[in-house]
Structures are given as C-alpha cells and as structure tokens.
Amino acid sequence: MTAESLTRPAPRTAEDILARAKALVPVLRERAGEFERLRRLPADVVELMRGAGVFRMAFPREFGGPELTSIEQTEVVEALSYGDTSAGWCTHIGACTGLYASFIAGPTAREMFAGLDLVTAGMLFPVGRAERVPGGYRLTGRWTFGSGVTHSDWVISGAFIYRDGKPDPSPDGRDPHDSRLFMVPRADVEVVDNWHTTGLAGSGSCDYTITDVFVPEERTLAFDTVHGRPSPLTSAESFMRTIPGVPLGVARAALDHVREIVRTRVDRATGVPWADNWRMQTTLAECEADFTASRHGVYGTMREQWELLSAGLPVPVELQAALPLARLHAFRTARSIVTRLYDLMQTGSIHRSGPLDRWLRDTTTMCQHLLAQDRILQSAGAHLLGGTPEFRLCLGITS
C-alpha cells in the first residue's frame, strides 16, 4: 500500500474494494507477528483497512455505500485473511456496521454513521441488563469475545430488558423476557485486557464492560424491524454470511506457502526434488481437493440463497440447512488442511517465526467458535427432519 493509494478517492465498487484488500496482503503478512504481540490490530493498520473500504462494504446505496453482495463481501474477507487471519476476522466483524444502520431509523443512523468507514464491534447475545428509563435505557453488563473492540467506533451489545427491576415481556407477549441490541460509543466502554489465546491473537477479542450508560431508544435495534429498503442483506442470518471467508483465506495461504516450498526443495539424502516425492504430491492434491470442494460449497450455496432472496422467493429447507453446513465445513476443512500441511513440513513447521505455526493456532482457535460446533450439525439436521433446532438463527429462523 503506497502513499499515493491512500489519497485515492474512496472506493465505490466491489472490484475496487477487493483490489485494495489484495494490495494490503503483503503488509498484513509482514506485520502478522506484531499483531500477535500486541494482541490487537495497530491503529495504522486499521486506518489502511478503512482506506481500502473494507468496513463500508455493507452500507446501502441510499447511504452512499457500495452495498456489496454477501458473495462480494466474503471475497474481501477471504482476501484479507490470506494476508492475516486476525485482520480478516476483524473485517468480518467491523463490516457489519452498514447492516446495523439498516435496522436504525434513518435520521439517527445518518447521525451515528456520518462516515461510511466506521467500525462496530460487540457481542449480540443478550447477556447484559437494560433498565427502562424515560427516553431509553440504562445499560450495564459484561460481554465476552468483543472482536475488534480495541479499534471500534461503536459497540453493539445484547441485553435483556427490565422495567422497575422486573423482566419486561416483549410487546406481543410471546417472550416473557424481551431483549434488544444497544449501540454505544466506544468511549463509554471499558475493555478488559484478557485476550491471551492460542490463536487469532491479533483480533483483540477482549471482554468489555458497560456500566450504567444511558442509551436513547433510537440507538437500539432488533433484527425483526428493517428501516428503509429491505434487501437480501437485511434478511435473517446475514451477519454470519461473510465469516467463512476467514478459514478459506487461511487455507489458501497455507496451500500456496507449502507448494512454493515443495517446488524449490531437494531431499538432502537422495537428491530427489520434493516435487517428485509421492507423499508431497498426494498430500497437496488431497488438500487442494478438499479446499476446492469446501470453497465451492460456501459460494455456491450463498449464491443460490442470494438469488432467491433477491427475487423475493422463499428459501427452501434444504438450502437453509446447506449454508450453515457449508460454513461449518469451511472451518473444519481449513483446520484439517493446515494440520496436514504442518505435518507434511515436519520440523520446518514448528518455529513461531514461520506462518504455519500461526495458521495452525489460528485455525484451531476459530474452530472453537459456535458456528463450527456440533450444535450447528444438530440444528441443520433437525431442520431437515422437521425436528427442533438448538440454534435456529444459524438457519435464518428468527421466530
């Protein structure tokens, strides 16, 4: 990324944003060790990412945003993850800002997001407490896994609602304890410096606390109420669609890294090039086959779903299950690919100065995410069989 590139006009198309993201890869690769040491993305790198337009991807056109499709956004996340896993992960999180804007009334959203390159982080699950007061709520709580909270502009947090100290039911009476999402400025948030992990160290996914902060009613939201023009991006489950770009980007990086090594090495004992070694050939071929199948599974199901949503057509049960399954498979396949390549390179893999060690730890850590767990298998299987899914939202079910 050159000084000249930072003075270019803000990107407005998917092609421009993707090109700028790819241009950042050498910087991210070079500084990946620094991200791990800091346990966050440095401010100057975040600014480079803002300049590339990766955080504005989901802003709708009526805001002046590029409104990239889910497929286009995932390609950008994949490109950045090819450079560094934590950068890709934080892009997936931070680029949701434009989505949140669609669920906030227009005047308030335009006031909050005067610029399109703002970053929102936070935890959506309702673990906080929001007491109703005139004009809004008093929000208190502690949330975990606030990926990107260390460089965010806004923090979104889920909380249960109380009225006069008692659980407040939903307006329709269907839920005995209502919950909402609350947007607060980063200045009102206290970050807990506890992100010491196996991998994804640079994501700064710390716990954070909010203590008795007033949140106006208009800065709260629920995903069942879209303000403005509905689109496939505002449909259920849209907040998880880009995340498979992270494992796909890492797996592709590991494959390219090892293939380049194998092409240039010769066995010291026999003088046989590694490229002619049967084990090298078959392992790389198997990993390539798994990667290709997994990547096509992600983008193929995403494209099918997008086409149906764009046409206003219902998404069939089989496709509702296919996308979370493809996503889970991408996580697990990336870990499998990196592990096999790590073993293939043997002692050449074990040094922390090399990327394979980092990719092994990153893929191990990302596979602990809910979206890579057996709970997703159960939910998809139950949905296909007409049973009861444990995690309905992963299937795009909100009621």
Side-chain angles (χ1 to χ4, degrees), residues 67 69-71 99 229-239 241 300-316 319-320 323 327 394-398:
E67 197 174 329
T69 67
S70 295
I71 297 95
L99 293 176
R229 175 179 52 85
S231 75
L233 288 179
T234 60
S235 65
E237 213 253 335
S238 59
F239 296 91
R241 288 198 196 122
T301 53
M302 196 183 301
R303 188 167 287 107
E304 284 185 65
Q305 191 176 100
W306 184 271
E307 290 172 354
L308 290 172
L309 292 170
S310 297
L313 299 174
V315 178
L319 188 53
Q320 289 177 10
L323 187 53
R327 189 164 49 219
C394 81
L395 305 165
I397 303 171
T398 57

Short mmCIF file of all heavy atoms in Angstrom, two decimals, residues 67 69-71 99 229-239 241 300-316 319-320 323 327 394-398:
data_model
loop_
_atom_site.label_atom_id
_atom_site.label_comp_id
_atom_site.label_asym_id
_atom_site.label_seq_id
_atom_site.Cartn_x
_atom_site.Cartn_y
_atom_site.Cartn_z
N GLU A 67 -22.87 -1.21 -1.00
CA GLU A 67 -23.84 -2.29 -0.86
C GLU A 67 -23.40 -3.56 -1.60
O GLU A 67 -24.07 -4.07 -2.49
CB GLU A 67 -25.23 -1.86 -1.34
CG GLU A 67 -26.35 -2.75 -0.85
CD GLU A 67 -27.73 -2.24 -1.20
OE1 GLU A 67 -27.92 -1.00 -1.28
OE2 GLU A 67 -28.64 -3.06 -1.37
N THR A 69 -22.75 -7.44 -2.32
CA THR A 69 -23.50 -8.65 -2.02
C THR A 69 -22.76 -9.47 -0.96
O THR A 69 -21.57 -9.23 -0.67
CB THR A 69 -23.67 -9.52 -3.27
OG1 THR A 69 -22.38 -10.02 -3.67
CG2 THR A 69 -24.28 -8.72 -4.41
N SER A 70 -23.42 -10.46 -0.40
CA SER A 70 -22.77 -11.34 0.56
C SER A 70 -21.57 -12.04 -0.07
O SER A 70 -20.54 -12.23 0.59
CB SER A 70 -23.76 -12.40 1.07
OG SER A 70 -24.80 -11.81 1.80
N ILE A 71 -21.69 -12.41 -1.33
CA ILE A 71 -20.59 -13.09 -2.02
C ILE A 71 -19.40 -12.15 -2.15
O ILE A 71 -18.25 -12.51 -1.85
CB ILE A 71 -21.05 -13.56 -3.42
CG1 ILE A 71 -22.17 -14.60 -3.29
CG2 ILE A 71 -19.89 -14.13 -4.21
CD1 ILE A 71 -23.56 -14.04 -3.39
N LEU A 99 -24.82 -2.94 7.99
CA LEU A 99 -26.01 -3.74 8.24
C LEU A 99 -26.80 -3.18 9.42
O LEU A 99 -28.03 -3.05 9.36
CB LEU A 99 -25.62 -5.19 8.52
CG LEU A 99 -25.00 -5.97 7.36
CD1 LEU A 99 -24.58 -7.35 7.83
CD2 LEU A 99 -25.97 -6.09 6.21
N ARG A 229 -35.17 0.39 2.96
CA ARG A 229 -35.41 -0.60 1.92
C ARG A 229 -34.91 -1.98 2.32
O ARG A 229 -33.73 -2.17 2.53
CB ARG A 229 -34.71 -0.14 0.62
CG ARG A 229 -34.76 -1.13 -0.53
CD ARG A 229 -34.06 -0.56 -1.76
NE ARG A 229 -32.72 -0.09 -1.44
CZ ARG A 229 -31.64 -0.89 -1.43
NH1 ARG A 229 -31.76 -2.17 -1.70
NH2 ARG A 229 -30.45 -0.40 -1.15
N PRO A 230 -35.80 -2.96 2.40
CA PRO A 230 -35.33 -4.33 2.67
C PRO A 230 -34.50 -4.85 1.50
O PRO A 230 -34.71 -4.47 0.34
CB PRO A 230 -36.63 -5.13 2.83
CG PRO A 230 -37.69 -4.11 3.09
CD PRO A 230 -37.26 -2.88 2.33
N SER A 231 -33.56 -5.73 1.79
CA SER A 231 -32.73 -6.33 0.75
C SER A 231 -32.25 -7.68 1.27
O SER A 231 -32.44 -8.00 2.45
CB SER A 231 -31.52 -5.43 0.45
OG SER A 231 -30.57 -5.51 1.49
N PRO A 232 -31.61 -8.48 0.42
CA PRO A 232 -31.05 -9.73 0.94
C PRO A 232 -30.09 -9.52 2.10
O PRO A 232 -29.95 -10.40 2.95
CB PRO A 232 -30.34 -10.31 -0.30
CG PRO A 232 -31.10 -9.78 -1.45
CD PRO A 232 -31.49 -8.39 -1.05
N LEU A 233 -29.43 -8.35 2.14
CA LEU A 233 -28.51 -8.10 3.24
C LEU A 233 -29.22 -7.92 4.57
O LEU A 233 -28.62 -8.11 5.63
CB LEU A 233 -27.67 -6.84 2.95
CG LEU A 233 -26.59 -6.98 1.87
CD1 LEU A 233 -25.88 -5.65 1.68
CD2 LEU A 233 -25.60 -8.08 2.22
N THR A 234 -30.48 -7.53 4.56
CA THR A 234 -31.21 -7.34 5.81
C THR A 234 -32.02 -8.56 6.19
O THR A 234 -32.75 -8.54 7.17
CB THR A 234 -32.15 -6.13 5.71
OG1 THR A 234 -33.10 -6.35 4.66
CG2 THR A 234 -31.38 -4.85 5.44
N SER A 235 -31.90 -9.64 5.43
CA SER A 235 -32.62 -10.86 5.77
C SER A 235 -31.93 -11.56 6.93
O SER A 235 -30.78 -11.27 7.27
CB SER A 235 -32.67 -11.80 4.56
OG SER A 235 -31.37 -12.24 4.22
N ALA A 236 -32.65 -12.46 7.56
CA ALA A 236 -32.10 -13.18 8.71
C ALA A 236 -30.81 -13.89 8.33
O ALA A 236 -30.65 -14.35 7.21
CB ALA A 236 -33.13 -14.21 9.21
N GLU A 237 -29.89 -13.95 9.28
CA GLU A 237 -28.66 -14.71 9.14
C GLU A 237 -27.59 -13.98 8.34
O GLU A 237 -26.50 -14.49 8.13
CB GLU A 237 -28.97 -16.06 8.46
CG GLU A 237 -28.13 -17.23 8.89
CD GLU A 237 -27.14 -17.63 7.81
OE1 GLU A 237 -27.38 -17.37 6.64
OE2 GLU A 237 -26.11 -18.19 8.19
N SER A 238 -27.87 -12.76 7.90
CA SER A 238 -26.91 -12.05 7.07
C SER A 238 -25.62 -11.72 7.81
O SER A 238 -24.57 -11.55 7.19
CB SER A 238 -27.53 -10.75 6.53
OG SER A 238 -27.94 -9.91 7.59
N PHE A 239 -25.66 -11.64 9.14
CA PHE A 239 -24.49 -11.24 9.90
C PHE A 239 -23.43 -12.33 9.98
O PHE A 239 -22.33 -12.09 10.43
CB PHE A 239 -24.90 -10.80 11.31
CG PHE A 239 -25.78 -9.59 11.29
CD1 PHE A 239 -27.16 -9.71 11.23
CD2 PHE A 239 -25.24 -8.32 11.28
CE1 PHE A 239 -27.98 -8.60 11.18
CE2 PHE A 239 -26.05 -7.20 11.23
CZ PHE A 239 -27.42 -7.34 11.18
N ARG A 241 -22.83 -14.46 7.20
CA ARG A 241 -22.53 -14.98 5.86
C ARG A 241 -21.07 -14.82 5.46
O ARG A 241 -20.54 -15.65 4.75
CB ARG A 241 -23.42 -14.30 4.81
CG ARG A 241 -24.86 -14.75 4.87
CD ARG A 241 -25.60 -14.41 3.59
NE ARG A 241 -27.05 -14.50 3.82
CZ ARG A 241 -27.90 -13.52 3.65
NH1 ARG A 241 -27.47 -12.35 3.23
NH2 ARG A 241 -29.17 -13.68 3.89
N GLY A 300 -21.30 -21.49 -3.62
CA GLY A 300 -22.43 -22.00 -4.36
C GLY A 300 -23.73 -21.86 -3.60
O GLY A 300 -24.74 -21.37 -4.14
N THR A 301 -23.73 -22.26 -2.32
CA THR A 301 -24.97 -22.15 -1.53
C THR A 301 -25.30 -20.69 -1.25
O THR A 301 -26.47 -20.30 -1.26
CB THR A 301 -24.83 -22.91 -0.21
OG1 THR A 301 -23.64 -22.48 0.49
CG2 THR A 301 -24.73 -24.41 -0.44
N MET A 302 -24.28 -19.87 -1.05
CA MET A 302 -24.52 -18.45 -0.81
C MET A 302 -25.14 -17.79 -2.04
O MET A 302 -26.08 -16.99 -1.94
CB MET A 302 -23.20 -17.76 -0.44
CG MET A 302 -23.37 -16.39 0.20
SD MET A 302 -21.77 -15.60 0.53
CE MET A 302 -21.00 -16.79 1.62
N ARG A 303 -24.64 -18.16 -3.20
CA ARG A 303 -25.17 -17.58 -4.45
C ARG A 303 -26.61 -18.02 -4.69
O ARG A 303 -27.46 -17.21 -5.09
CB ARG A 303 -24.27 -17.98 -5.62
CG ARG A 303 -24.60 -17.28 -6.92
CD ARG A 303 -23.50 -17.46 -7.94
NE ARG A 303 -22.33 -16.65 -7.61
CZ ARG A 303 -21.18 -17.15 -7.14
NH1 ARG A 303 -21.05 -18.45 -6.94
NH2 ARG A 303 -20.16 -16.36 -6.86
N GLU A 304 -26.89 -19.29 -4.46
CA GLU A 304 -28.27 -19.78 -4.63
C GLU A 304 -29.22 -19.03 -3.70
O GLU A 304 -30.31 -18.62 -4.11
CB GLU A 304 -28.33 -21.28 -4.32
CG GLU A 304 -27.78 -22.19 -5.38
CD GLU A 304 -28.00 -23.63 -5.01
OE1 GLU A 304 -29.17 -24.07 -4.94
OE2 GLU A 304 -27.00 -24.35 -4.75
N GLN A 305 -28.80 -18.87 -2.44
CA GLN A 305 -29.67 -18.20 -1.48
C GLN A 305 -29.86 -16.73 -1.87
O GLN A 305 -30.97 -16.19 -1.79
CB GLN A 305 -29.11 -18.31 -0.07
CG GLN A 305 -30.09 -17.86 1.00
CD GLN A 305 -29.54 -18.09 2.39
OE1 GLN A 305 -29.05 -17.16 3.03
NE2 GLN A 305 -29.63 -19.30 2.87
N TRP A 306 -28.79 -16.09 -2.30
CA TRP A 306 -28.87 -14.67 -2.67
C TRP A 306 -29.84 -14.48 -3.85
O TRP A 306 -30.64 -13.54 -3.87
CB TRP A 306 -27.49 -14.15 -3.04
CG TRP A 306 -27.48 -12.69 -3.35
CD1 TRP A 306 -27.69 -12.11 -4.57
CD2 TRP A 306 -27.30 -11.62 -2.43
NE1 TRP A 306 -27.63 -10.74 -4.47
CE2 TRP A 306 -27.39 -10.40 -3.16
CE3 TRP A 306 -27.04 -11.55 -1.06
CZ2 TRP A 306 -27.25 -9.16 -2.57
CZ3 TRP A 306 -26.90 -10.31 -0.47
CH2 TRP A 306 -27.00 -9.13 -1.21
N GLU A 307 -29.77 -15.35 -4.83
CA GLU A 307 -30.64 -15.23 -5.99
C GLU A 307 -32.11 -15.36 -5.60
O GLU A 307 -32.97 -14.63 -6.09
CB GLU A 307 -30.26 -16.28 -7.03
CG GLU A 307 -28.92 -16.00 -7.70
CD GLU A 307 -28.46 -17.13 -8.59
OE1 GLU A 307 -29.15 -18.19 -8.60
OE2 GLU A 307 -27.42 -16.98 -9.26
N LEU A 308 -32.41 -16.29 -4.70
CA LEU A 308 -33.80 -16.46 -4.25
C LEU A 308 -34.27 -15.25 -3.45
O LEU A 308 -35.38 -14.74 -3.66
CB LEU A 308 -33.91 -17.73 -3.41
CG LEU A 308 -33.77 -19.05 -4.16
CD1 LEU A 308 -33.71 -20.21 -3.19
CD2 LEU A 308 -34.92 -19.24 -5.15
N LEU A 309 -33.43 -14.77 -2.54
CA LEU A 309 -33.81 -13.61 -1.73
C LEU A 309 -33.98 -12.37 -2.60
O LEU A 309 -34.90 -11.57 -2.38
CB LEU A 309 -32.74 -13.36 -0.66
CG LEU A 309 -32.63 -14.40 0.45
CD1 LEU A 309 -31.39 -14.14 1.31
CD2 LEU A 309 -33.88 -14.40 1.33
N SER A 310 -33.12 -12.21 -3.60
CA SER A 310 -33.22 -11.05 -4.48
C SER A 310 -34.52 -11.08 -5.29
O SER A 310 -35.08 -10.02 -5.61
CB SER A 310 -32.03 -11.02 -5.45
OG SER A 310 -30.82 -10.85 -4.74
N ALA A 311 -34.99 -12.27 -5.59
CA ALA A 311 -36.22 -12.42 -6.35
C ALA A 311 -37.46 -12.42 -5.46
O ALA A 311 -38.58 -12.56 -5.97
CB ALA A 311 -36.17 -13.70 -7.17
N GLY A 312 -37.27 -12.29 -4.16
CA GLY A 312 -38.40 -12.32 -3.24
C GLY A 312 -39.01 -13.69 -3.07
O GLY A 312 -40.18 -13.83 -2.67
N LEU A 313 -38.23 -14.74 -3.36
CA LEU A 313 -38.72 -16.10 -3.27
C LEU A 313 -38.31 -16.74 -1.95
O LEU A 313 -37.26 -16.38 -1.38
CB LEU A 313 -38.18 -16.93 -4.44
CG LEU A 313 -38.59 -16.45 -5.83
CD1 LEU A 313 -37.88 -17.25 -6.91
CD2 LEU A 313 -40.11 -16.55 -6.00
N PRO A 314 -39.06 -17.70 -1.46
CA PRO A 314 -38.70 -18.38 -0.21
C PRO A 314 -37.45 -19.25 -0.40
O PRO A 314 -37.22 -19.78 -1.49
CB PRO A 314 -39.93 -19.22 0.12
CG PRO A 314 -40.60 -19.45 -1.20
CD PRO A 314 -40.36 -18.19 -2.00
N VAL A 315 -36.68 -19.36 0.65
CA VAL A 315 -35.50 -20.23 0.64
C VAL A 315 -35.93 -21.61 1.14
O VAL A 315 -36.42 -21.73 2.25
CB VAL A 315 -34.38 -19.66 1.53
CG1 VAL A 315 -33.18 -20.60 1.55
CG2 VAL A 315 -33.97 -18.28 1.04
N PRO A 316 -35.78 -22.65 0.33
CA PRO A 316 -36.24 -23.97 0.75
C PRO A 316 -35.45 -24.50 1.94
O PRO A 316 -34.32 -24.07 2.22
CB PRO A 316 -36.02 -24.84 -0.48
CG PRO A 316 -34.99 -24.12 -1.29
CD PRO A 316 -35.20 -22.67 -1.03
N LEU A 319 -31.82 -25.61 1.42
CA LEU A 319 -30.84 -24.54 1.26
C LEU A 319 -30.62 -23.79 2.57
O LEU A 319 -29.51 -23.33 2.84
CB LEU A 319 -31.28 -23.58 0.15
CG LEU A 319 -30.27 -22.52 -0.28
CD1 LEU A 319 -28.93 -23.15 -0.65
CD2 LEU A 319 -30.83 -21.71 -1.45
N GLN A 320 -31.66 -23.66 3.39
CA GLN A 320 -31.48 -23.06 4.70
C GLN A 320 -30.46 -23.85 5.51
O GLN A 320 -29.66 -23.28 6.26
CB GLN A 320 -32.82 -23.02 5.44
CG GLN A 320 -33.82 -22.02 4.89
CD GLN A 320 -35.15 -22.09 5.62
OE1 GLN A 320 -35.27 -22.74 6.65
NE2 GLN A 320 -36.15 -21.41 5.08
N LEU A 323 -26.31 -23.72 3.84
CA LEU A 323 -25.35 -22.65 4.05
C LEU A 323 -24.62 -22.77 5.39
O LEU A 323 -23.38 -22.70 5.42
CB LEU A 323 -26.03 -21.28 3.93
CG LEU A 323 -25.10 -20.07 3.96
CD1 LEU A 323 -23.98 -20.20 2.94
CD2 LEU A 323 -25.88 -18.78 3.71
N ARG A 327 -20.59 -23.53 5.80
CA ARG A 327 -19.77 -22.66 6.63
C ARG A 327 -18.99 -23.48 7.66
O ARG A 327 -17.78 -23.31 7.84
CB ARG A 327 -20.68 -21.65 7.31
CG ARG A 327 -20.00 -20.53 8.04
CD ARG A 327 -21.00 -19.43 8.32
NE ARG A 327 -22.24 -19.92 8.91
CZ ARG A 327 -23.46 -19.47 8.61
NH1 ARG A 327 -23.62 -18.53 7.72
NH2 ARG A 327 -24.52 -19.96 9.21
N CYS A 394 -28.95 -19.76 13.08
CA CYS A 394 -27.97 -20.16 12.07
C CYS A 394 -28.65 -20.61 10.79
O CYS A 394 -28.01 -20.69 9.73
CB CYS A 394 -27.06 -21.26 12.61
SG CYS A 394 -27.76 -22.92 12.53
N LEU A 395 -29.94 -20.91 10.85
CA LEU A 395 -30.69 -21.34 9.69
C LEU A 395 -31.52 -20.22 9.08
O LEU A 395 -32.29 -20.43 8.16
CB LEU A 395 -31.61 -22.51 10.07
CG LEU A 395 -30.90 -23.70 10.72
CD1 LEU A 395 -31.91 -24.62 11.37
CD2 LEU A 395 -30.06 -24.44 9.71
N GLY A 396 -31.39 -19.03 9.64
CA GLY A 396 -32.19 -17.91 9.17
C GLY A 396 -33.58 -17.91 9.75
O GLY A 396 -34.49 -17.29 9.20
N ILE A 397 -33.77 -18.61 10.89
CA ILE A 397 -35.08 -18.67 11.54
C ILE A 397 -35.05 -17.72 12.72
O ILE A 397 -34.21 -17.82 13.61
CB ILE A 397 -35.37 -20.09 12.05
CG1 ILE A 397 -35.29 -21.09 10.89
CG2 ILE A 397 -36.75 -20.16 12.69
CD1 ILE A 397 -35.35 -22.53 11.33
N THR A 398 -35.96 -16.77 12.74
CA THR A 398 -35.97 -15.78 13.81
C THR A 398 -37.16 -15.88 14.72
O THR A 398 -37.30 -15.10 15.65
CB THR A 398 -35.93 -14.34 13.21
OG1 THR A 398 -37.06 -14.19 12.33
CG2 THR A 398 -34.65 -14.14 12.42
#
